[in-house]
Amino acid sequence: MSSTSSPVTTASQPAPAPAAGGSKGAPRLRTRRKHVPGRPRRSVLLTVLTGLIMLYTVVPLVWLVISATKTQEGLAESSGLWFSHDFALWDNISQTFTYNDGIFVRWLLNTLLYVVLGAGGATFLAILGGYALAKFTFPGKRAVFAVVIGAVAVPGTALAVPTFLMFSKMGLTDTPWAVIIPSLVSPFGLYLMWVFASEAIPVELLEAARIDGAGEVRTFFRVSLPLLAPGIVTVLLFTTVATWNNYFLPLIMLKDPDWYPLTLGLSAWNSQAETIGGDVIFNLVITGSLLTIVPLIAAFLLLQKYWQSGLAAGSVKE
Amino acid sequence: MTTLQPPAAVTRRPDRPPAKRDRRSWTGWGFIGPFAVVFAFVFLAPIAYSIYLSLFRDKLIGGTSFVGLDNYQQALQDDQFWDSLVRVSLFLLVQVPIMLGIALLVALALDSGRLYGRDFFRISIFLPYAVPAVVATLMWGFMYGTKYGLVGDINGAFGVTLPDPLSSDLVLASIGNIVTWEFVGYNMLIFYSALRVIPNSLYEAAEIDGAGQIRVVTAIKLPAIRGALVIATIFSIIGSFQLFNEPNILRPLARNAITTDYTPNFYTYSLSFNGQQHNYSAAVAIIMGLITMVIAYVVQLRGMRKGA
């Protein structure tokens, strides 16, 4: 990520930054403690301090990767932050996929289904809604806005029990719909899309398209949608994380393990250890956890250019 | 942030009014309609249903009957509910400032341009956000273990006996650590994004006035991102009051320390799914929702007014 303001090359030693005009080695050593945009001095101390926070966030992930290489016995015997003598990563992965008739694969496919329909649908609805709020004046617009913002403050989990009872009466519980339908609404996505659409789509362009005789739907798909791409990636990533990581909703809605997403499956495997006669499979819990987070981390890393610019646009609103 | 030119982004206000020639028409509803319909189904209908449920009570004989506000009255006198509320309030008062404080410091450090390897730091500190609460809790749960976990390793290596993170004295702090770990990077990113769009001209003006680094932070950066700070605080408050996943997943490891009424959410869940007391559970949930909304609203008012 090259940045807009920071220098590409900076002397690693705290040598004085050459002053704009006469930089023929003239010793302008007067320390400049001011914030100079584009030419800040690197600080070792600050880097070390931030490095400590980074250790805090990264060490558990390192622990996870290392632990995934160990057998059940190796986990108990060896230190958490170094490898055991037996390297069992591949064995663990194949066991994770095959244990209990490959139920993990089933959970993975369920999660993908919930993400494609839930997060995909949520993103699509947020794009349409955000676009409407940004580019149209319509009766009830202020009310829509007030209701959505107000409802965001209602704890999602406070809704869970009545939603469960409602869905239960409609016969939707214990089906994928019970997880997918509530995932379709992302107020945060709507908000982000609204801010993004306000900024990314020039009104003149819409007017030009309308004058050319394009209908609203055609204008939306041909003119607006391409301009919204970074915002769409951002919203899609955040709704994907929300759906992929969802735990509470499936926990109350689903009884049949065949419909579990990965999160619910992993916690079921974990608590299996304490049931009488239950198989202790902590090595599979750990390897399964690693397999669960790898796709999301990969998506964030690969797409960071897009979602970060999308998020930055969202923050302008503050 | 490659594509973004901060000054341009700021000068173009996103909430300027739509085109003048946009007639007030129903076209907009065509676009927001689908969202509105699903929203009504999964947000508004459950709220309404919840209010309805909370006014009834299951009787052993004679089925369900209307009891008015009895459930609310019962909840307000319910020690289990109050204990759980006090517990999450304590959690909130300690965990949220620590988490947001660290997030803000990291965001300011990243934004100062004084770090080596800034982009690397930013993405590594953000990564835990992509980890599900289930996985985060399982991971930390293993690491907390005094026998085989990291705590056990440290005890073995140094011949010490660290206090058990899963004992009833410490388990709330241990949960706080997990939540902090999960969300510090997310909040950092919110703050950082807000910092990036501060126009450079403000810094130039500050420089001419001879303002130091600290002064720039207090006089320019913090006021400029006040909105982001308020939003992050509100979301953190809502999150704390909703605490459920982490204690629920940690419970098998700390069964004595984490009871089924550990947090208000855990309590409503247990009432509903283990106790079949749906009506009472609905009343407790509504009270929690109201408390959350009031506090979020107060924070918003105070936060927005300060120095504005």
Side-chain angles (χ1 to χ4, degrees):
Chain A
M1 297 293 286
S2 71
S3 144
T4 45
S5 62
S6 76
V8 180
T9 53
T10 307
S12 50
Q13 296 301 315
S23 63
K24 35 191 174 190
R28 301 191 55 166
L29 283 168
R30 197 166 53 87
T31 42
R32 307 181 62 183
R33 293 174 59 246
K34 297 163 192 162
H35 180 105
V36 185
R39 210 183 300 140
R41 188 91 51 89
R42 299 293 169 95
S43 158
V44 174
L45 180 66
L46 204 57
T47 306
V48 170
L49 292 176
T50 314
L52 289 177
I53 310 284
M54 188 212 68
L55 280 182
Y56 170 64
T57 57
V58 169
V59 162
L61 297 173
V62 172
W63 176 89
L64 186 68
V65 173
I66 291 176
S67 298
T69 67
K70 296 175 183 174
T71 58
Q72 179 70 30
E73 296 76 39
L75 278 174
E77 288 163 7
S78 60
S79 157
L81 282 181
W82 198 242
F83 296 94
S84 173
H85 51 274
D86 49 350
F87 187 85
L89 177 62
W90 312 122
D91 192 41
N92 278 340
I93 291 178
S94 74
Q95 266 195 64
T96 305
F97 281 127
T98 52
Y99 182 79
N100 200 357
D101 295 332
I103 188 87
F104 189 84
V105 178
R106 171 93 202 201
W107 293 337
L108 178 64
L109 294 176
N110 289 342
T111 303
L112 287 173
L113 174 77
Y114 302 151
V115 164
V116 169
L117 294 182
T123 306
F124 187 63
L125 294 184
I127 296 168
L128 289 177
Y131 179 69
L133 287 173
K135 294 297 166 199
F136 293 95
T137 323
F138 51 88
K141 177 169 160 170
R142 292 178 67 90
V144 168
F145 179 63
V147 169
V148 171
I149 293 296
V152 174
V154 178
T157 34
L159 293 173
V161 172
T163 310
F164 167 79
L165 293 173
M166 239 175 73
F167 278 26
S168 171
K169 290 215 163 126
M170 299 169 160
L172 290 173
T173 45
D174 223 12
T175 71
W177 298 113
V179 177
I180 293 167
I181 295 174
S183 306
L184 285 174
V185 171
S186 165
F188 174 68
L190 179 81
Y191 166 80
L192 210 61
M193 235 26 255
W194 170 38
V195 175
F196 198 88
S198 309
E199 234 191 79
I201 305 172
V203 184
E204 299 76 24
L205 207 59
L206 292 182
E207 287 181 6
R210 283 170 194 150
I211 290 167
D212 287 349
E216 292 300 341
V217 173
R218 192 177 154 84
T219 307
F220 171 74
F221 280 103
R222 302 298 291 272
V223 178
S224 307
L225 213 50
L227 294 171
L228 293 176
I232 294 172
V233 172
T234 312
V235 173
L236 192 60
L237 261 181
F238 281 82
T239 53
T240 299
V241 170
T243 317
W244 187 280
N245 295 354
N246 201 351
Y247 171 74
F248 188 69
L249 185 71
L251 175 72
I252 62 168
M253 293 293 182
L254 304 174
K255 281 215 161 44
D256 182 357
D258 275 353
W259 285 119
Y260 280 6
L262 287 168
T263 50
L264 211 48
L266 285 173
S267 92
W269 271 2
N270 184 53
S271 39
Q272 178 176 317
E274 48 162 1
T275 53
I276 296 156
D279 205 356
V280 179
I281 44 167
F282 288 137
N283 57 328
L284 302 192
V285 173
I286 288 170
T287 309
S289 296
L290 181 64
L291 294 172
T292 300
I293 66 175
V294 163
L296 284 192
I297 289 187
F300 268 106
L301 291 178
L302 289 175
L303 296 170
Q304 54 168 318
K305 197 172 86 183
Y306 300 98
W307 62 262
Q308 292 196 358
S309 64
L311 205 62
S315 68
V316 178
K317 189 71 191 169
E318 306 297 351
Chain B
M1 256 83 345
T2 13
T3 54
L4 199 80
Q5 297 297 323
V10 164
T11 45
R12 281 182 44 201
R13 296 296 302 164
D15 53 351
R16 70 189 155 180
K20 308 265 183 311
R21 67 172 283 276
D22 256 2
R23 350 127 278 241
R24 276 176 71 85
S25 75
W26 293 85
T27 321
W29 273 106
F31 285 95
I32 205 165
F35 179 91
V37 169
V38 186
F39 183 85
F41 184 63
V42 301
F43 264 83
L44 303 183
I47 292 175
Y49 189 47
S50 194
I51 294 171
Y52 170 82
L53 279 176
S54 71
L55 302 175
F56 291 83
R57 186 173 289 174
D58 265 335
K59 294 277 160 67
L60 282 177
I61 333 150
T64 315
S65 61
F66 182 81
V67 293
L69 297 178
D70 280 8
N71 285 322
Y72 292 90
Q73 207 176 2
Q74 185 189 344
L76 294 177
Q77 294 164 349
D78 184 341
D79 284 344
Q80 281 176 290
F81 171 63
W82 284 110
D83 286 350
S84 68
L85 186 59
V86 168
R87 198 172 287 118
V88 286
S89 306
L90 179 69
F91 179 90
L92 170 79
L93 291 174
V94 176
Q95 188 266 335
V96 172
I98 292 177
M99 173 181 68
L100 295 184
I102 297 175
L104 181 61
L105 288 178
V106 176
L108 287 170
L110 290 173
D111 184 61
S112 73
R114 293 162 64 86
L115 289 184
Y116 296 97
R118 183 193 56 190
D119 296 331
F120 172 72
F121 281 131
R122 187 181 57 214
I123 195 73
S124 352
I125 294 174
F126 176 69
L127 278 188
Y129 176 70
V131 177
V134 173
V135 172
T137 312
L138 289 176
M139 256 165 37
W140 280 101
F142 279 117
M143 289 192 289
Y144 284 149
T146 46
K147 273 192 198 144
Y148 305 125
L150 276 188
V151 174
D153 288 347
I154 295 172
N155 285 349
F158 298 101
V160 292
T161 312
L162 293 177
D164 179 2
L166 296 173
S167 66
S168 47
D169 291 337
L170 285 181
V171 77
L172 191 62
S174 300
I175 293 171
N177 174 55
I178 299 175
V179 176
T180 305
W181 183 82
E182 289 176 283
F183 291 104
V184 82
Y186 174 75
N187 288 300
M188 175 268 292
L189 201 70
I190 301 286
F191 298 153
Y192 179 74
S193 305
L195 284 168
R196 295 310 289 171
V197 295
I198 298 174
N200 265 329
S201 56
L202 284 182
Y203 296 137
E204 281 155 18
E207 193 190 348
I208 291 165
D209 291 346
Q213 285 271 355
I214 305 290
R215 188 93 179 91
V216 167
V217 168
T218 55
I220 297 178
K221 295 194 178 187
L222 291 184
I225 64 166
R226 192 173 51 226
L229 288 168
V230 171
I231 298 275
T233 308
I234 290 175
F235 280 138
S236 303
I237 291 171
I238 296 175
S240 301
F241 278 147
Q242 296 196 30
L243 201 59
F244 176 86
N245 293 356
E246 291 82 3
N248 187 44
I249 297 157
L250 216 49
R251 197 170 126 74
L253 295 172
R255 200 164 277 290
N256 297 323
I258 300 173
T259 49
T260 52
D261 55 0
Y262 199 69
T263 68
N265 235 337
F266 214 146
Y267 187 42
T268 54
Y269 171 80
S270 313
L271 283 174
S272 245
F273 292 95
N274 301 330
Q276 298 300 318
Q277 300 186 55
H278 298 304
N279 304 87
Y280 183 49
S281 163
V284 173
I286 287 170
I287 293 176
M288 261 330 278
L290 287 174
I291 292 175
T292 311
M293 280 201 288
V294 167
I295 292 181
Y297 188 63
V298 168
V299 169
Q300 188 187 8
L301 280 186
R302 285 190 57 92
M304 293 301 180
R305 194 180 48 200
K306 209 179 293 169

